[in-house]
Amino acid sequence: MADAGYFRGTSADQDNRFSDKEKKLLKTMKFEDVLGKKIDMSKVKVDVLKPWITKRTTEMLKIEDDVVVEFIFNQLEEKEPDPRKMQINLTGFLNGKYARMFMGELWTMLDSARTVRSGTPVLTLVQR
């Protein structure tokens, strides 16, 4: 070991055992087309959506799960959340099919809320 400055082998970046799993999932998972839109959450009233999110997750899980609901609320607190990463994170709680459906519905509502001046999704206005 005369030369301590020279390292042999591969780095963690080169070793595929330490690859980024999220990048792999982003390439392989199916996502709804609407998830490609960026949403500025400062233009959306999330409080109006909270009852719908709670109701919809309860329908999909067949039980009321506060952990999942709060997890979704926390992800929506970011200024511009990444919907594809949200779907990957939700797949552990909901199965892949339900996570995809839920994110498609949620993102459609968020997109409609972003375009309306009041910040309230059109579907929730119709339900009232």
Side-chain angles (χ1 to χ4, degrees), residues 97-116:
K97 174 184 160 192
Y98 285 141
R100 183 176 175 197
M101 280 176 29
F102 176 78
M103 284 306 299
E105 293 169 5
L106 176 64
W107 224 249
T108 302
M109 292 179 85
L110 289 174
D111 188 44
S112 73
R114 177 183 58 94
T115 56
V116 177

Side-chain angles (χ1 to χ4, degrees), residues 18-115:
F18 304 109
S19 64
D20 189 3
K21 305 288 188 231
E22 195 171 82
K23 278 185 185 177
K24 230 182 249 187
L25 286 171
L26 284 170
K27 290 179 184 176
T28 59
M29 281 183 76
K30 293 180 182 177
F31 299 100
E32 296 290 334
D33 294 335
V34 73
L35 298 187
K37 296 181 180 180
K38 296 264 187 216
I39 304 289
D40 182 4
M41 294 302 290
S42 63
K43 297 179 180 179
V44 177
K45 292 184 179 175
V46 180
D47 292 340
V48 176
L49 280 173
K50 286 184 178 182
W52 178 85
I53 292 170
T54 305
K55 178 180 170 237
R56 193 70 179 115
T57 54
T58 303
E59 288 172 0
M60 290 180 171
L61 291 172
K62 309 242 186 311
I63 59 167
E64 190 172 331
D65 192 342
D66 294 337
V67 173
V68 176
V69 172
E70 287 298 321
F71 181 68
I72 295 167
F73 294 162
N74 289 337
Q75 298 232 337
L76 292 176
E77 287 177 3
E78 294 179 30
K79 186 173 181 350
E80 287 187 2
D82 185 344
R84 298 179 334 144
K85 288 183 180 177
M86 277 183 71
Q87 180 176 326
I88 290 170
N89 294 336
L90 285 174
T91 301
F93 298 106
L94 309 169
N95 67 28
K97 174 184 160 192
Y98 285 141
R100 183 176 175 197
M101 280 176 29
F102 176 78
M103 284 306 299
E105 293 169 5
L106 176 64
W107 224 249
T108 302
M109 292 179 85
L110 289 174
D111 188 44
S112 73
R114 177 183 58 94
T115 56

